[in-house]
Amino acid sequence: MSLASVRQFYGVPAYRGTAILYTGGDTPRQGVIVSATTCGRLRIRWDDDPSGRRAILHPTWEVQYLPETPDDEESFAVFLPHGCGPRRKPPPKTALRLHGTRVGLSHGMAL
């Protein structure tokens, strides 16, 4: 299940990179949404865990979404590592004349 599906199904503002506060344990913990699992749970990276281990939480159980939620994933994609953001359209194919032969830049093949 994608984060978009989690947002639609549970009605929560679950975006990649959104800060959350988990209040289900002894002490509240703050973390960041990393992704969603296939069964609709959130993968969370805790701010206070240097090992980088992920926790899996239900989107509505003891989770508070903090107000730094972006409007949509496109506006937040600039902060994500390459390959982690939403898919974008490939650049348009252009042609380059090289010694009288048209060469496609995207594939390096003669046209």
Side-chain angles (χ1 to χ4, degrees):
M1 192 177 236
S2 67
L3 284 172
S5 299
V6 170
R7 287 192 300 272
Q8 182 179 12
F9 189 79
Y10 292 106
V12 295
Y15 291 87
R16 182 178 289 127
T18 299
I20 60 107
L21 182 66
Y22 173 67
T23 58
D26 295 336
T27 59
R29 290 184 81 179
Q30 192 166 349
V32 175
I33 297 174
V34 177
S35 64
T37 65
T38 56
C39 61
R41 304 297 190 254
L42 300 175
R43 278 195 184 94
I44 306 296
R45 184 185 70 239
W46 298 120
D47 293 345
D48 60 357
D49 188 1
S51 69
R53 287 181 293 172
R54 310 294 194 248
I56 296 176
L57 301 177
H58 189 277
T60 61
W61 188 76
E62 303 291 337
V63 174
Q64 295 176 7
Y65 295 86
L66 301 180
E68 296 86 21
T69 305
D71 294 333
D72 61 345
E73 287 182 350
E74 285 293 329
S75 65
F76 199 72
V78 294
F79 299 107
L80 300 174
H82 178 69
C84 293
R87 293 187 180 187
R88 297 193 175 119
K89 294 179 182 177
K93 293 182 181 178
T94 57
L96 173 69
R97 291 212 177 260
L98 201 63
H99 304 291
T101 306
R102 286 179 49 207
V103 178
L105 293 179
S106 60
H107 300 292
M109 299 171 34
L111 302 176

